[in-house]
Amino acid sequence: MSHPQVLFARRRPGQTVSLETYLQEGGYQALGGAVGKQAPAALRKLVLDSGLRGRGGAGFPTGQKWSFFPADAPGPKYLVCNCDEMEPGTYKDRELLVADPHALVEGMALAAYALGVTHGYVFVRYDYEDVFRALERAVAEAHGAGFLGERILGTDFGFELHVHGSAGRYILGEETSLLNGLEGVRPNPRLRPPFPAQRGLFGRPTTVQNVETLCNVPHIALHGAEWFKGLALTPGEAGTKLFGLSGHLNRTECFELPMGVPLREVVEVHGGGVRQGRRFKACLPGGASTPYLTAAHLDVPMDFGNLDRAGSRLGTAGVTVFDERTCMVAATLNLLTFFARESCGWCTPCRDGLPYVCYLLERFERGQAGREELALLKAQPAFINQSFCALAQGAMGPLEGLLRHFEQELLDHVTRGGCPFGGA
Amino acid sequence: MDAKLEQDIRAEFEPQIRACAHPQELVVHLLRAIQREHGWVPDEGVELAARLLGLQPIQVEEVATFYDKIYRRPVGRRVIHVCDSICCWSRGEQEIRAHLEARLGIRLGETTPDGVFTLLPTCCLGACGRAPAMQVGFRLYGELTPDRVDRILDEERRAAGQGDPP
Ligand SMILES: Cc1cc2nc3c(=O)[nH]c(=O)nc-3n(C[C@H](O)[C@H](O)[C@H](O)COP(=O)(O)O)c2cc1C
């Protein structure tokens, strides 16, 4: 089943699109059509009307976020692109940027124009050396060709873009932690309010957006809001979505599919089915912080609204599939161990609560748990959801999924005195 | 850390610092540059970064110790970061980690006696489609099998012996 390719239209295996190819294939036309010709407010309205929602995990409507931004306020303001991408199961931004880095440069220049911003940063995780190099080159090329810098395309609009290489830690993906990281202070998250739109980077108005979100902007500017909505298969949704497949599938690649594609098509057609002919047991539909879906959910359309209604989230649309032989207690223990290790230690529910959940899950795996531990496990989300930032709340996604769909599996660990799958 | 390194770092960073409205934003960049040249960041590196940026050493230290890929202790010439997150876990990460430990004769967090390899666990490397994966220096290796790990270790050991950058 082939679907329209928008973000991946220029992608060629093993290659990075150069400025020359980007221009040949329609690149920077959106910027040329907007800067100096269209009012920034009109571009903001277009993004609002398009229904674009953030692709970094939270799904906040981008146009709405831009409508809160003090675009006309004097003084420095910033646009920051979040390419921290450390949520397990998520690798779409890397695929996109290694293939087509100019798409982000153009998307950021357009967003900067819409928001009245003159300085931008791309925050790149330490391990994405390939992305870092592709972006540095694209920024230099765009500078040379007059798409970045002062007086872009001969107008009064100027925009400087810096690429920042980070040094590890998942928490940096949380936008206020990221801003502290960019400032060079210890990157614990910040209290909100004030929100970054009021006081962000260096105390100035700032918008943080995901890579994929920004890469959609040139297409919306070129083809319009109705076209963008029409890309989705389900009502009320908009655009395409990059799905990074992983886990027990035959084909673990990244695909651009319409918003609202059924989970079954993702698994069976694009993922090539569960490997070794085994049965589908469960999946994380949108990265490590999203509650599990089960075989009963295979007909759910993969979009923001339908996954919310199914009790999960679209998140980053990194789909990790587990086959019938997977112990979901062990899988959840792996996920919670990740979150516990990546906790920055700032607040007690996260620093102390997550290791305690790991301790309880380990007891189930070792056959040392009874109904008392089950009651304790069920009590944790109410405490841990009081955390200072969303890291620990995200960690509760798989735990709540486990309790909701696999309570019997926890009880089996109790009655059998250990892991029925031979784990631990 | 020798005097030459300090000179090089100064030459690389002093112009940038002068041109920058908020020099503190360069701290991670500076620490990474010291690590690139020295392999890890010693106390003198923290102090140098503080002097160059007009900060107290503690302000640099609290940044340096936050990040897992700034090494504040000596490491081998090649740091192996082996992913233990969910996608790699689902595709045999435990076997790869056990093989690395057996082949290198060290446990996670240790360095081989010849000073070539340090083995550390890492969270998701963003290579979930090619699990199980590890990163050696800045090189990413996916679809690992014990055989492939052996070949990679041989190649990396040879490259480290020739003084190639990680
Ligand atoms: C612990 C944590 C990690 C996050 N990691 C990322 C990330 O790697 N990339 C990203 O775009 N958003 C990440 N987010 C979400 C950001 O805080 C923010 O909502 C997002 O960058 C906004 O962009 P968007 O609206 O375009 O999605 C993370 C959030 C949390 C709580």
Side-chain angles (χ1 to χ4, degrees):
Chain A
M1 230 168 288
S2 71
H3 294 289
Q5 300 293 288
V6 177
L7 299 170
F8 276 176
R10 284 179 282 258
R11 187 166 82 137
R12 307 282 181 278
Q15 289 179 28
T16 301
V17 172
S18 64
L19 177 63
E20 198 186 343
T21 313
Y22 190 70
L23 288 171
Q24 274 163 13
E25 300 194 20
Y28 291 111
Q29 277 177 17
L31 188 66
V35 174
K37 298 185 182 134
Q38 202 178 4
L43 195 54
R44 295 199 296 271
K45 174 80 166 44
L46 185 65
V47 170
L48 182 66
D49 292 343
S50 75
L52 174 65
R53 293 175 65 171
R55 297 328 195 207
F60 195 82
T62 307
Q64 207 178 324
K65 187 149 130 186
W66 291 10
S67 73
F68 306 141
F69 191 82
D72 300 319
K77 286 166 289 202
Y78 298 97
L79 173 67
V80 175
C81 172
N82 189 341
C83 183
D84 194 54
E85 193 157 75
M86 270 197 237
E87 171 121 340
T90 310
Y91 60 101
K92 66 187 181 70
D93 295 337
R94 171 185 244 160
E95 298 277 327
L96 182 51
L97 288 178
V98 168
D100 199 6
H102 279 284
L104 180 66
V105 175
E106 185 176 10
M108 287 190 76
L110 272 169
Y113 178 71
L115 296 168
V117 163
T118 54
H119 280 83
Y121 288 84
V122 190
F123 183 98
V124 182
R125 68 175 288 181
Y126 176 88
D127 315 278
Y128 280 9
E129 185 68 4
D130 46 1
V131 168
F132 188 85
R133 270 187 271 111
L135 278 174
E136 286 229 301
R137 174 162 173 207
V139 167
E141 285 176 337
H143 234 279
F147 299 120
L148 285 177
E150 287 169 29
R151 302 190 58 79
I152 290 174
L153 299 166
T155 66
D156 286 341
F157 170 61
F159 179 56
E160 292 293 345
L161 187 54
H162 311 277
V163 187
H164 173 90
S166 186
R169 290 291 171 212
Y170 169 63
I171 186 65
L172 273 290
E174 196 282 334
E175 61 181 15
T176 63
S177 166
L178 186 153
L179 295 177
N180 281 337
L182 279 179
E183 288 187 11
V185 301
R186 189 169 170 92
N188 297 114
R190 298 177 180 175
L191 190 64
R192 273 176 296 201
F195 288 92
Q198 272 64 52
R199 277 180 54 191
L201 191 60
F202 306 116
R204 303 294 310 168
T206 303
T207 292
V208 182
Q209 304 284 175
N210 173 257
V211 172
E212 185 184 349
T213 310
L214 289 163
C215 288
N216 272 301
V217 174
H219 301 285
I220 295 170
L222 270 182
H223 305 294
E226 289 312 311
W227 167 85
F228 191 69
K229 285 186 196 159
L231 291 168
L233 299 179
T234 38
E237 303 285 337
T240 64
K241 185 73 201 72
L242 301 182
F243 289 89
L245 310 192
S246 62
H248 299 147
L249 289 170
N250 282 311
R251 210 175 301 118
T252 50
E253 293 167 24
C254 185
F255 297 97
E256 180 173 24
L257 304 172
M259 197 65 95
V261 62
L263 176 58
R264 189 183 300 281
E265 183 186 320
V266 174
V267 169
E268 290 175 7
V269 179
H270 307 287
V274 178
R275 65 177 190 170
Q276 292 162 359
R278 293 192 188 147
R279 277 209 306 271
F280 175 98
K281 179 172 184 177
C283 75
L284 294 160
S289 59
T290 56
Y292 301 117
L293 297 182
T294 66
H297 296 108
L298 280 166
D299 294 313
V300 171
M302 298 287 283
D303 61 35
F304 289 108
N306 279 294
L307 282 171
D308 272 350
R309 286 187 285 279
S312 188
R313 291 189 303 113
L314 181 62
T316 62
V319 181
T320 307
V321 168
F322 303 106
D323 69 20
E324 57 194 321
R325 294 201 196 174
T326 311
C327 172
M328 297 311 291
V329 179
T332 310
L333 174 57
N334 174 282
L335 288 160
L336 267 292
T337 304
F338 158 79
F339 286 109
R341 196 171 69 197
E342 294 302 320
S343 170
C344 77
W346 182 254
C347 74
T348 311
C350 183
R351 184 189 59 241
D352 291 354
L354 298 181
Y356 184 59
V357 173
C358 292
Y359 163 81
L360 290 173
L361 290 171
E362 267 166 25
R363 289 187 73 88
F364 279 94
E365 275 295 276
R366 297 212 192 99
Q368 299 161 339
R371 288 187 172 269
E372 194 188 333
E373 275 78 7
L374 185 59
L376 282 168
L377 203 53
K378 286 183 177 172
Q380 295 314 307
F383 302 128
I384 293 176
N385 281 328
Q386 308 298 319
S387 60
F388 187 76
C389 86
L391 183 142
Q393 293 149 30
M396 293 301 93
L399 177 60
E400 292 185 55
L402 179 76
L403 291 167
R404 197 183 316 144
H405 300 302
F406 298 102
E407 180 166 345
Q408 189 55 49
E409 210 165 296
L410 281 160
L411 290 169
D412 288 349
H413 281 71
V414 173
T415 46
R416 296 185 53 135
C419 181
F421 298 87
Chain B
M1 246 176 73
D2 54 17
K4 167 86 170 55
L5 174 58
E6 174 160 348
Q7 268 173 22
D8 292 349
I9 294 285
R10 279 184 181 278
E12 182 180 343
F13 278 89
E14 276 172 349
Q16 289 187 58
I17 290 167
R18 275 195 298 273
C20 189
H22 323 87
Q24 188 164 356
E25 73 175 279
L26 296 170
V27 62
V28 172
H29 193 32
L30 228 169
L31 290 168
R32 282 184 58 167
I34 292 169
Q35 182 162 292
R36 183 189 69 217
E37 300 303 324
H38 189 72
W40 58 287
V41 179
D43 291 349
E44 300 92 297
V46 169
E47 287 158 9
L48 172 63
R51 271 200 311 282
L52 286 174
L53 298 173
L55 302 172
Q56 295 300 319
I58 187 68
Q59 291 175 286
V60 177
E61 180 71 338
E62 64 178 11
V63 171
T65 54
F66 193 94
Y67 293 98
D68 64 327
K69 277 146 193 162
I70 299 292
Y71 313 127
R72 277 291 279 119
R73 284 194 239 163
V75 289
R77 274 173 284 163
R78 292 289 185 275
V79 180
I80 303 174
H81 287 280
V82 56
C83 175
D84 59 10
S85 291
I86 191 74
C87 309
C88 287
W89 174 85
S90 78
R91 293 183 80 111
E93 155 271 324
Q94 299 93 322
E95 186 196 357
I96 296 302
R97 188 175 9 137
H99 185 76
L100 277 165
E101 289 181 331
R103 243 322 272 262
L104 297 171
I106 55 173
R107 308 259 295 273
L108 290 176
E110 296 178 348
T111 299
T112 52
D114 60 5
V116 175
F117 292 113
T118 296
L119 183 62
L120 296 173
T122 183
C123 76
C124 186
L125 290 166
C128 317
R130 299 168 55 198
M134 67 178 183
Q135 189 162 296
V136 184
F138 279 112
R139 270 181 297 279
L140 175 69
Y141 298 97
E143 284 146 11
L144 297 176
T145 60
D147 278 354
R148 194 164 135 71
V149 166
D150 289 349
R151 289 199 300 278
I152 293 164
L153 292 180
D154 288 346
E155 179 53 33
E156 289 284 353
R157 189 185 293 278
R158 203 183 52 75
Q162 289 177 355
D164 294 353

